[in-house]
C-alpha cells in the first residue's frame, strides 16, 4: 500500500511548519473503504493540540497579513502548480482513503488546484472603495482586511477540493488557517499541506490537525470558543453545522456554512432526454451519489416519464461498481457501513410506501461498502428519500403534470443547495429557475461547480459562499475609515 500512497503520504499532522504527533501520542487508523485494509495511522489530536495550532497560526498572522497580495500570490501559485504536477500521487492517496475511481480522483485534485490558482490571482482584487464624503475636508475610505486566524472543518466526500476551496481564499486574503479534515480522509489534506510547505507557504500559515470522530466535538469546541479565531468555515452536514453556528455565538465569530442538500432534478416535457439522462448519470452517480449537490429528488413530466426512465435504465446498466483502482470502474464504494445502512433504509422505506424498484436495490456481496446503482419510480413526498439526503447511488423518480405542482414540490424542503432543470422553452426556464429556492441552478447541465462562480446554499443548506470573488470576501472584514483633514 505504501507504493500506492506515494511520497506524499504523511502520517503526522502539520502544525507551525512541523510534522508532529498528538501531544497525547494517540493515533487512529485510516481505512480503505474498498478493501477494509488499514492504509495508515495519523495523530488523534484533541483540544490541547488544536490550541497549540491556533497559537501557531496566530503567531504567523502578522507577517502573512502584512504582505502585499502579489507577495502572497507567488507561493500560492507555486502551490497550485505543485498540486497539478503531483496529480497522480494525490489521486492515488484520495482513492485509497475515499474509494472514488482514480479518474474521478484526478479530476478532483485538478479541481482543487484551480481554487488555489484562482484565489492567488483574486487576492489582488480585494478592492475597497472611496465614497463621496458628506462633508468638506473629509475622506471616506472603505478597505478590506483579513479576518485573522480562521478555522476550517471539511468532510470526507471531496477530501482535496473542500480543503483548497477554504484554504486558498483564506490565505489569499491574508488570513492564516487551522484545518481539520474528516476522520475518514485525513491523508489528502496532509498531502496538500506537504505541497504547501514545498511551495514556500510560511510555517504556521496553514496548519492541518487530524482527529478521529470521537474527538471531533472537542476539536470543534476549541476552534469555536477560542478568542484567537476570527472565523469558522465549515463544510458538512446541516446537523453539525447548526451546532457549530450555536457554538460560534459565544465569541461572535464569522461563519461560512456549506451544508447538506436535497436537490431537485426537473425534466420538462420538451427536454432533450439524451442531455437530461447523461446529466443525471453524471450528477447523481459521481462519487457514488455522495456529493452535496447530487440530485436527490427527480421530477419528470408525465409525458416523458416512461421514456426518461427507460433511457436512464439503459445508461445505469453500463455503470461498473468496484475498487476505484480498477480500470473501467465508474462507481466506488460508499464511505462506511453507516452510509450503506442509510441507503438501504431509504430504499426499504420507499418500497414499503409504494415505490417500484426498477434496478438495483441492494448492497453488493463481498468486502467493501459497495452498493448497486438503483432506480425507483413512484416516489412520493412523504418517503424518506424525498425528505432527507440519501447520499448514495439511488435515483427516485416522481411524475408531475403542472408547473405549479412542480414548483411547490421542488421547494418543499428546508434545504436549498442546488437544483437542475431540463427543458427547451426559454421563457419557462427563466420562470422556473427564478422560482427555485436554491443557491445554484443548473439548466440543461449537471456540471455546476466551478472556482469562478459562487457556490452556496439557501435556507438550511448554508450561509455564505465559496469560490468566486464572494468566496474571498468571506475571509475579509470591511473597515470604514472616516478621515478629517486638519488645516
Ligand atoms: P459531518 O458529519 O457533518 O462531518 C463534517 C466534518 O465535521 C468532519 O470533519 C467531521 O469530523 C466534523 N464534525 C463532526 N461532528 C463535529 C462536531 N460536533 N464538531 C466539530 N466537527 C465535527 O458531514 P460528513 O458526513 O462528513 O459529510 C457529508 C455532508 O457534508 C453531507 O450532508 C453533504 O451534503 C455535506 N457537504 C456539503 C458541501 C457543500 O458545499 N454544501 C460539500 C460537501 C459535503 P469526523 O469526520 O471526524 O466526524
Amino acid at each position: 500500500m505504501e507504493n500506492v500512497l506515494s511520497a506524499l503520504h504523511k502520517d503526522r499532522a502539520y502544525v507551525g511548519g512541523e510534522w508532529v504527533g498528538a501531544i497525547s501520542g494517540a493515533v487512529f487508523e485510516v481505512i480503505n473503504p474498498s478493501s477494509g485494509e488499514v492504509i495508515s495511522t495519523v495523530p488523534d489530536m484533541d483540544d490541547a493540540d488544536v490550541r497549540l495550532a491556533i497559537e501557531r497560526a496566530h503567531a504567523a498572522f502578522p507577517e502573512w497579513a502584512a504582505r502585499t497580495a502579489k507577495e502572497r500570490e507567488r507561493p500560492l501559485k507555486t502551490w497550485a502548480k505543485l498540486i497539478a504536477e503531483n496529480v497522480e500521487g494525490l489521486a492515488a492517496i484520495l482513492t485509497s482513503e475515499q474509494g472514488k475511481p482514480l479518474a474521478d480522483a484526478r479530476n478532483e485534485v485538478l479541481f482543487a488546484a484551480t481554487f488555489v490558482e484562482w484565489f492567488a490571482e483574486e487576492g489582488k482584487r480585494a478592492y475597497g472603495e472611496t465614497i463621496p464624503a458628506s462633508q468638506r475636508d473629509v475622506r471616506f475610505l472603505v478597505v478590506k482586511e483579513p479576518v485573522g486566524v480562521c478555522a476550517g472543518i471539511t468532510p470526507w466526500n471531496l477530501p482535496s477540493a473542500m480543503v483548497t476551496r477554504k484554504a486558498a481564499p483564506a490565505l489569499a486574503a491574508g488570513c492564516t488557517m487551522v484545518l481539520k479534515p474528516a476522520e475518514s480522509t485525513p491523508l489528502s489534506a496532509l498531502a496538500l499541506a506537504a505541497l504547501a510547505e514545498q511551495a514556500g507557504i510560511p510555517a504556521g500559515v496553514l496548519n492541518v490537525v487530524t482527529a478521529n470522530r470521537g474527538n471531533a466535538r472537542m476539536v470543534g469546541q476549541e476552534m469555536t470558543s477560542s478568542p484567537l479565531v476570527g472565523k469558522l468555515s465549515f463544510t458538512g452536514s446541516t446537523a453539525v453545522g447548526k451546532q457549530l453556528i450555536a457554538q460560534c455565538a459565544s465569541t461572535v465569530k464569522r461563519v461560512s456554512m456549506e451544508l447538506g442538500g436535497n436537490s431537485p432534478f426537473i425534466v420538462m416535457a420538451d427536454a432533450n432526454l439524451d442531455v437530461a439522462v447523461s446529466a443525471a448519470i453524471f450528477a447523481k452517480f459521481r462519487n457514488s451519489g455522495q456529493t452535496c449537490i447530487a440530485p436527490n429528488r427527480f421530477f419528470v413530466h408525465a409525458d416523458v416519464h416512461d421514456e426518461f426512465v427507460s433511457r436512464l435504465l439503459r445508461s445505469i446498466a453500463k455503470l461498473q461498481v468496484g475498487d476505484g483502482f480498477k480500470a473501467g470502474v465508474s462507481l466506488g464504494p460508499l464511505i462506511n457501513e453507516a452510509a450503506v445502512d442509510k441507503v438501504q433504509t431509504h430504499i426499504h422505506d420507499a418500497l414499503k410506501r409504494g415505490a417500484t424498484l426498477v434496478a438495483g436495490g441492494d448492497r453488493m456481496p463481498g468486502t467493501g461498502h459497495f452498493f448497486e446503482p438503483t432506480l425507483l419510480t413512484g416516489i412520493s413526498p412523504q418517503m424518506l428519500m424525498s425528505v432527507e439526503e440519501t447520499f448514495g447511488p439511488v435515483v427516485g423518480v416522481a411524475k408531475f403534470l403542472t408547473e405549479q405542482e412542480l414548483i411547490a414540490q421542488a421547494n418543499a424542503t428546508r434545504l436549498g443547495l442546488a437544483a437542475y432543470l431540463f427543458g427547451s422553452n426559454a421563457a419557462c426556464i427563466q420562470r422556473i429557475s427564478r422560482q427555485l429556492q436554491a443557491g445554484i441552478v443548473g439548466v440543461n447541465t449537471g456540471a455546476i461547480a466551478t472556482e469562478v462562480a459562487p457556490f452556496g446554499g439557501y435556507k438550511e443548506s448554508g450561509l455564505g459562499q465559496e469560490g468566486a470573488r464572494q468566496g474571498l470576501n468571506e475571509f475579509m472584514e470591511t473597515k470604514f475609515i472616516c478621515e478629517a483633514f486638519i488645516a
Side-chain angles (χ1 to χ4, degrees), residues 250-435:
S250 67
T251 47
V252 194
K253 283 193 205 323
R254 277 90 190 102
V255 290
S256 289
M257 293 280 149
E258 297 291 342
L259 308 177
N262 186 3
S263 306
F265 186 103
I266 299 163
V267 183
M268 304 302 289
D270 59 359
N272 177 323
L273 293 187
D274 288 335
V275 170
V277 166
S278 83
I281 293 286
F282 170 78
K284 180 73 229 188
F285 292 103
R286 184 173 55 122
N287 210 2
S288 297
Q290 303 171 113
T291 66
C292 52
I293 52 173
N296 204 52
R297 297 169 298 144
F298 285 71
F299 300 105
V300 181
H301 194 277
D303 288 356
V304 290
H305 174 275
D306 294 355
E307 184 57 24
F308 176 79
V309 168
S310 85
R311 290 195 201 186
L312 188 59
L313 180 61
R314 284 202 294 276
S315 295
I316 286 176
K318 294 182 198 147
L319 297 174
Q320 268 192 53
V321 184
D323 188 314
F325 283 108
K326 236 174 92 188
V329 160
S330 35
L331 266 78
L334 298 182
I335 192 70
N336 53 30
E337 210 43 42
V340 173
D341 286 348
K342 184 177 188 189
V343 171
Q344 196 86 76
T345 304
H346 278 201
I347 294 170
H348 287 162
D349 170 77
L351 294 175
K352 203 172 69 195
R353 293 173 191 259
T356 303
L357 185 65
V358 182
D362 231 325
R363 71 176 305 153
M364 318 266 289
T367 48
H369 313 292
F370 297 103
F371 207 94
E372 295 172 333
T374 297
L375 176 58
L376 296 147
T377 54
I379 299 302
S380 62
Q382 297 73 29
M383 294 174 182
L384 271 181
M385 68 169 61
S386 301
V387 180
E388 293 175 5
E389 231 179 347
T390 303
F391 236 54
V394 182
V395 174
V397 183
K399 262 185 212 174
F400 75 90
L401 273 171
T402 68
E403 198 175 306
Q404 205 181 13
E405 164 204 357
L406 167 73
I407 299 288
Q409 284 195 33
N411 289 337
T413 164
R414 283 296 306 147
L415 300 174
L417 190 54
Y420 302 85
L421 175 59
F422 294 82
S424 54
N425 178 317
C428 169
I429 284 171
Q430 202 35 241
R431 203 167 53 239
I432 297 180
S433 56
R434 293 299 297 269
Q435 289 181 78

Side-chain angles (χ1 to χ4, degrees), residues 65-218:
R67 291 189 186 198
T68 65
K70 194 167 174 60
E71 286 165 340
R72 288 193 291 264
E73 178 204 353
R74 281 188 208 115
L76 285 172
K77 277 263 182 81
T78 309
W79 189 26
K81 189 166 156 278
L82 288 174
I83 296 171
E85 282 172 6
N86 284 278
V87 60
E88 289 305 322
L90 291 167
I93 288 174
L94 208 166
T95 294
S96 303
E97 64 178 351
Q98 203 272 350
K100 69 177 63 174
L102 201 51
D104 292 355
R106 285 190 196 106
N107 287 339
E108 183 186 332
V109 168
L110 294 174
F111 184 44
T114 65
F115 287 109
V116 185
E117 185 191 42
W118 198 85
F119 281 109
E121 286 286 346
E122 190 63 9
K124 293 186 283 187
R125 288 181 276 276
Y127 302 134
E129 58 184 317
T130 309
I131 299 174
S134 44
Q135 295 150 263
R136 294 182 182 192
D137 301 330
V138 173
R139 186 161 61 176
F140 284 178
L141 289 179
V142 177
V143 294
K144 298 279 182 180
E145 293 183 342
V147 167
V149 176
C150 296
I153 301 180
T154 51
W156 49 264
N157 62 340
L158 293 149
S160 292
M162 295 303 99
V163 168
T164 58
R165 202 164 76 171
K166 296 190 186 312
L171 270 51
C175 298
T176 56
M177 179 165 260
V178 177
L179 184 127
K180 188 202 88 68
E183 174 198 69
S184 306
T185 56
L187 300 179
S188 293
L190 293 172
L192 289 169
L195 293 176
E197 182 185 30
Q198 274 183 40
I201 291 175
V205 170
L206 176 65
N207 306 272
V208 177
V209 293
T210 52
N212 87 359
R213 202 148 289 146
N215 281 355
R217 180 181 287 273
M218 200 194 293

